[in-house]
Amino acid sequence: MRERFARAFGGVPHTIWSAPGRVNLIGEHVDYAGGEVLPIAIAARTCVAVGPVAGSYSHVSAGRRRQRGAFDPVRPSRSGSWWDYVAGVSRELAQRGTPVPPLAIAVAGDVPPGAGLSSSAALCVAAAGALSHAAGSRLGAAELADVAHRAEADFVEVPCGIMDQRASALCRAGHALHLQCRDAAVDHVPFLESILIFDTAEPRALRASRYEERRRETDEALVILRSMEPGLEWLADAALELLDRAPLTGVLRARARHVVTETRRVRDAVRALAAGEPLPGALLLESHASLRDDYECSTCALDWFVAEAVRRDGITGARLTGAGWGGCAIATGEREALDSAAPALANEFRQAFGRSARWWLTAAEEGAREEGP
Ligand code: GLA
């Protein structure tokens, strides 16, 4: 990063921060409905190095010339480019009373963009660390996550829940992050297993619009359920029996059923891990079936991976992870089994779908940190 910074801007950076991508073990599409989630930080990280710059604009560089840009650090306007995430962090810090000076900002990393591994959360969290540091302010990990989330949600206008930024900022090595999304309370659950991440490399054109549609549907379901039970604050708290007798359409009932049952599965998974048991593969498979049938956010490629992965000896569970409609699936089980199955699965995937999948083995890694000057 230091070399990269010197090549882009000359001189040495004032500070360097890094933040990881994430995979969610279980608890999908419940963060915006008051549910619980259980992500881990992955080995891939994004680094942001910052230093002083002349003039009144901040300058960003991601290595290649065409990835350079500039923005007003206090009142940026949206450009439609990747650095909007960084500009959004700068604006959010200013709005919180920590105006960021104009900076030279170099970005690098190995979180693959567009795969559903939260490359944007990694960028925003690392930027929040580096920019706040340069502005002379020391934020805690939860505040970094808040700043990153507001940058994405308010400035870039991605209607995401709070899971990804919390995971990137707060995860600990060797632990999964048990996050209660209603009040952002967290506990760290020991997790030493390996996870296979398999990217089905689907074009993601539909992802954002479908995500918004699901958010609307869960909001609608909550309004109807509240008309029967006025004290119901979150969809994740609804009783299954209430769903059965409420005047919901079939589609809204299915969406609500996913949210309610998925939150229960997260609690069951946490209980198992806390008791020293492995992550229960059966819960992952139930989660996938619910996402496929009730939430309708799977794809043929994700379904194929889940079915094929669990046919192998030593692989205990698999499911899509992240928003779905393409992107990545995960598989759990013995490390050797995951290691040897991955290339074979990738081969068969190419034959079945005519495109190449990427895969990585990861353990639960550390969240955002300062890497030093
Ligand atoms: C995306 C969003 C998260 C979460 C997941 C689905 O990753 O950014 O907030 O809603 O989808 O669980």
Side-chain angles (χ1 to χ4, degrees), residues 22 24 27-32 118 160-164 211 322-323:
R22 63 95 188 92
N24 191 15
E28 219 62 80
H29 283 290
V30 297
D31 62 346
Y32 49 81
S118 291
C160 53
I162 67 166
M163 169 171 72
D164 304 340
Y211 187 87

Side-chain angles (χ1 to χ4, degrees), residues 95 160 238 293 343 346:
Q95 284 180 348
C160 53
D293 302 335

Side-chain angles (χ1 to χ4, degrees), residues 18-363:
S18 79
R22 63 95 188 92
V23 285
N24 191 15
L25 299 178
I26 192 160
E28 219 62 80
H29 283 290
V30 297
D31 62 346
Y32 49 81
E36 300 177 23
V37 298
L38 192 66
I40 59 170
I42 61 174
R45 303 181 79 85
T46 298
C47 289
V48 174
V50 301
V53 75
S56 56
Y57 276 78
S58 283
H59 291 258
V60 282
S61 163
R64 275 164 295 179
R65 183 173 284 273
R66 63 185 175 82
Q67 294 194 331
R68 293 185 76 129
F71 59 85
D72 180 322
V74 174
R75 269 178 296 277
S77 42
R78 225 161 65 186
S79 68
S81 313
W82 66 270
W83 57 82
D84 279 350
Y85 292 96
V86 183
V89 165
S90 194
R91 185 183 82 149
E92 180 60 27
L93 286 166
Q95 284 180 348
R96 287 170 182 237
T98 305
V100 180
L103 293 170
I105 305 168
V107 175
D110 58 358
V111 187
L117 297 173
S118 291
S119 59
S120 57
L123 173 58
C124 286
V125 171
L131 270 58
S132 60
H133 190 137
S137 160
R138 278 288 181 172
L139 302 184
E143 283 172 292
L144 293 181
D146 276 342
V147 168
H149 180 249
R150 296 265 54 98
E152 277 201 59
D154 297 346
F155 188 68
V156 190
E157 294 185 351
V158 180
C160 53
I162 67 166
M163 169 171 72
D164 304 340
Q165 300 78 12
R166 296 261 151 189
S168 185
L170 293 168
C171 274
R172 290 187 186 158
H175 293 78
L177 183 78
H178 180 208
L179 170 64
Q180 323 248 355
C181 299
R182 69 195 54 218
D183 58 2
V186 296
D187 56 297
H188 299 271
V189 188
F191 185 72
L192 296 172
E193 295 173 44
S194 296
I195 293 288
L196 171 62
I197 306 170
F198 194 89
D199 177 12
T200 60
E202 193 115 25
R204 57 189 304 220
L206 280 177
R207 230 182 267 177
S209 62
R210 288 293 182 82
Y211 187 87
E212 283 174 41
E213 182 183 279
R214 289 296 175 278
R215 288 199 67 152
R216 268 199 310 277
E217 288 167 345
T218 50
D219 288 347
E220 271 174 49
L222 180 60
V223 168
I224 294 168
L225 294 171
R226 256 191 209 146
S227 70
M228 305 186 65
E229 205 176 289
L232 184 68
E233 199 180 345
W234 297 101
L235 184 56
D237 293 335
L240 282 176
E241 162 276 322
L242 175 64
L243 303 190
D244 287 341
R245 64 187 165 83
L248 294 164
T249 61
V251 166
L252 292 191
R253 182 170 293 115
R255 306 293 189 246
R257 186 166 54 222
H258 167 73
V259 170
V260 170
T261 57
E262 183 76 351
T263 297
R264 292 182 181 184
R265 284 185 285 274
V266 173
R267 292 188 190 130
D268 290 347
V270 169
R271 249 193 307 275
L273 292 177
E277 295 162 20
L279 183 65
L283 288 177
L284 269 65
L285 291 170
E286 282 170 33
S287 168
H288 185 78
S290 178
L291 289 160
R292 181 192 62 211
D293 302 335
D294 279 349
Y295 223 67
E296 295 184 276
C297 64
S298 189
T299 59
C300 290
L302 290 163
D303 293 345
W304 178 93
F305 172 79
V306 169
E308 291 301 316
V310 293
R311 279 171 30 164
R312 320 259 157 168
D313 286 344
I315 297 192
T316 53
R319 58 180 286 274
L320 73 82
T321 187
W325 298 290
C328 290
I330 55 168
T332 55
E334 295 158 16
R335 193 190 155 88
E336 299 71 41
L338 297 170
D339 210 13
S340 67
L345 284 163
N347 256 335
E348 288 171 30
F349 182 85
R350 193 174 312 109
Q351 279 158 27
F353 291 92
R355 58 178 191 265
S356 298
R358 292 177 296 179
W359 54 271
W360 306 267
L361 270 186
T362 191

